[in-house]
Amino acid sequence: MDLALLGQRLRHQRRAKGMTLDDLSALVGRAPSQLSLIENGKREPKLSLLQSMATALEVPLQDLLRAEAPTRRAALEIELAHFQESSVYGALGLPTVRAGRRLPADALESLIGLHRELSRVLTEQSATPEVARRANASLRTEMRSRDNYFASVEKAAFDVLQSVRHSTGPLSQRGILDIAGQIGFTLHWVSDLPNSTRSVTDLRNRRIYLPQVASGKGHDPRAVVLQTLGHFVLGHNDPVDWGDFLRQRVEANYFAAALLMPEKFAVEFLREAKADRALAIDDFRDAFGVSYETAAHRFTNLATHHFGIPVHFTRVHESGIVYKAYENDNVRFPADVTGAIEGQPICRRWASRTVFQSEDPYSSFYQFTDTTAGTYWCTVHVESTRSGEFSVTVGTPYEHARWFRGGDTTRRTVSRCPDPACCRRPPSSLVDTWEGHAWPSARVHSHLLAALPPGTFPGVDAQDVYEFLQRRSPSSAS
């Protein structure tokens, strides 16, 4: 629901009837201040209240929920409100302009024109990887709308487990081999898999080639097998664009987690932990023998759908750059003009970054953070990889912290981002000392400048894959 649009339609209908807020308040039994918040797009009303207001205004409920603004002036005011809610505008540190009656029409037109031009310029500046970033932002919006719970994928995973008679607990290696056989594939672990791939499937000979992974690499090799099988169980075809490619990857990853941590047993485990006010990603991980990140992802699949706990998740490099992120708890991640979060620097006051300054970053780490969107509690785990250290964070609004182990932590920070004065501007003492006396040589990653990689599967060298399959094909061996 577009709250700004709904508010404009309510105000238009009220004024058309010659009513004041006090008049409407008397008819619906709500304080004028509450109705004012709704008309200003600051509060989402319940459906019962909307129906009461429609009755009081003598209009069909559908009229209040129509998708177009009641007047051109209202449409401009709504557009201005949306522009000013964006992270791009917030980063400028400028005050919010109220588009009320006192704002002249020409001033409103000028503000909208400036915002449109700013949006156009920023969009042009980010044109190289723009398609992928927009597709990823769109996918994240869909995931948020369904609380990151994919019922169809859960059903597919359940049916697969039923087909191999898996009836309890975590999925074993034997179970994975049975699943592969049930789908009609054999698994082969090789040492010469192309560098650009996680697995390669020979559809002609029904073989799946997987990397020989030594222990201690920090990830679960079972997940790669199940992700690959997921593409076939879920009926994926060759991706037609970035959006299709990213959606398939999310669904395959979800499918793998749903097999490694079956919904029935995972929900039972979490329900008992919640009853004890001892929810912990560490315990969830250990109970099913998976990686911490897999457990964190799986928790986001189930926490809101089954327990009504809104959450956010991040994977952040020690440099402060976001690699992965998801939220349905209204936490405000940094984002570019396309809505992309990945690649953005996260606030230095957030637990995802303060964990790296703690005395023991590898122990359990909990923190409350006061932000412009409210107070959030987070639990963080640090893992070491070949690309450096990463923090994996699961967070939730303050009122839900009571269900988690560590919800009584006294560690607390304050974040004012996107206000640049929070952490993006150096302290004035450092600026006074070093401004004009520093010349850093930036490290530029070539992939940031590259266009969409050629081929059906982005980033994969088709020649390497075909040569690999030619070497490994049973017909070639004979």
Side-chain angles (χ1 to χ4, degrees), residues 154 157-158 161 166-172 254-270 284 287-288 290 298 302 306:
E154 295 282 2
F158 175 81
L161 291 173
H166 179 79
S167 58
T168 183
L171 185 65
S172 66
Y254 192 115
F255 176 80
L259 289 178
L260 290 171
M261 308 177 79
E263 182 176 22
K264 176 184 176 182
F265 310 117
V267 170
E268 288 176 357
F269 178 88
L270 293 174
F284 198 33
F288 290 88
V290 297
R298 191 63 175 141
L302 305 173
H306 287 282

Side-chain angles (χ1 to χ4, degrees), residues 54 68 81 86 97 103 120 123 126 137 139 146 186 239 261 269-270 277 293 306 342 408 429-430 436 460:
E68 63 271 5
S86 71
V97 177
L103 183 66
R120 184 192 67 78
T123 299
S126 60
L139 177 61
R146 59 172 68 199
T186 57
M261 308 177 79
F269 178 88
L270 293 174
R277 295 178 181 252
E293 186 171 348
H306 287 282
E342 289 79 5
D408 57 351
S429 59
L430 291 178
V460 172

Side-chain angles (χ1 to χ4, degrees), residues 82-391:
H82 289 166
F83 275 129
Q84 294 184 145
E85 289 171 357
S86 71
S87 58
V88 174
Y89 186 81
L92 297 175
L94 297 174
T96 299
V97 177
R98 290 196 60 186
R101 287 179 172 181
R102 296 181 180 178
L103 183 66
D106 56 348
L108 178 59
E109 295 272 8
S110 296
L111 285 171
I112 292 295
L114 288 172
H115 277 291
R116 288 173 179 170
E117 181 63 14
L118 175 62
S119 179
R120 184 192 67 78
V121 170
L122 291 175
T123 299
E124 285 184 355
Q125 290 175 350
S126 60
T128 303
E130 177 186 353
V131 173
R133 292 204 304 271
R134 287 191 183 278
N136 202 35
S138 176
L139 177 61
R140 185 181 294 105
T141 299
E142 180 190 349
M143 293 165 65
R144 188 182 193 277
S145 70
R146 59 172 68 199
D147 291 326
N148 206 20
Y149 180 83
F150 290 69
S152 60
V153 182
E154 295 282 2
K155 177 66 164 56
F158 175 81
D159 290 344
V160 166
L161 291 173
Q162 289 284 96
S163 72
V164 296
R165 302 180 186 278
H166 179 79
S167 58
T168 183
L171 185 65
S172 66
Q173 183 68 23
R174 178 70 257 172
I176 292 175
L177 292 173
D178 289 343
I179 290 172
Q182 185 80 4
I183 301 172
F185 286 95
T186 57
L187 306 181
H188 304 265
W189 283 265
V190 297
S191 60
D192 58 340
L193 203 68
N195 290 331
S196 59
T197 64
R198 293 188 296 178
S199 68
V200 173
T201 302
D202 178 351
L203 296 175
R204 176 179 292 130
N205 298 295
R206 307 293 288 180
R207 289 182 159 204
I208 297 177
Y209 295 100
L210 301 149
Q212 292 177 345
V213 181
S215 60
K217 297 295 183 183
H219 59 270
D220 189 344
R222 296 175 301 168
V224 177
V225 182
L226 296 175
Q227 288 160 8
T228 302
L229 293 172
H231 288 297
F232 303 105
V233 172
L234 299 173
H236 291 165
N237 298 311
D238 289 355
V240 297
D241 54 25
W242 267 112
D244 199 27
F245 170 76
L246 293 171
R247 178 188 58 80
Q248 288 184 8
R249 190 170 68 168
V250 165
E251 291 180 352
N253 289 346
Y254 192 115
F255 176 80
L259 289 178
L260 290 171
M261 308 177 79
E263 182 176 22
K264 176 184 176 182
F265 310 117
V267 170
E268 288 176 357
F269 178 88
L270 293 174
R271 182 174 288 114
E272 291 180 6
K274 181 175 181 286
D276 293 336
R277 295 178 181 252
L279 287 172
I281 306 301
D282 309 71
D283 294 350
F284 198 33
R285 170 198 62 190
D286 296 342
F288 290 88
V290 297
S291 70
Y292 188 94
E293 186 171 348
T294 295
H297 272 298
R298 191 63 175 141
F299 184 80
T300 68
N301 299 152
L302 305 173
T304 309
H305 181 77
H306 287 282
F307 305 106
I309 301 176
V311 293
H312 67 264
F313 164 91
T314 60
R315 176 178 170 84
V316 175
H317 188 258
E318 59 186 316
S319 63
I321 300 301
V322 178
Y323 273 56
K324 296 180 183 178
Y326 163 78
E327 63 83 20
N328 67 358
D329 59 1
N330 295 317
V331 72
R332 294 181 181 175
F333 289 130
D336 66 12
V337 68
T338 67
I341 296 170
E342 289 79 5
Q344 298 296 308
I346 210 162
C347 179
R348 295 175 184 269
R349 318 292 184 219
W350 284 23
S352 301
R353 294 191 69 176
T354 60
V355 65
F356 292 113
Q357 279 74 55
S358 66
E359 293 183 1
D360 185 5
Y362 299 101
S363 297
S364 297
F365 186 89
Y366 313 109
Q367 176 180 302
F368 284 103
T369 307
D370 298 323
T371 77
T372 56
T375 298
Y376 293 87
W377 173 88
C378 295
T379 176
V380 191
H381 170 81
V382 173
E383 59 181 27
S384 298
T385 73
R386 291 175 178 174
S387 302
E389 293 190 329
F390 288 84
S391 64

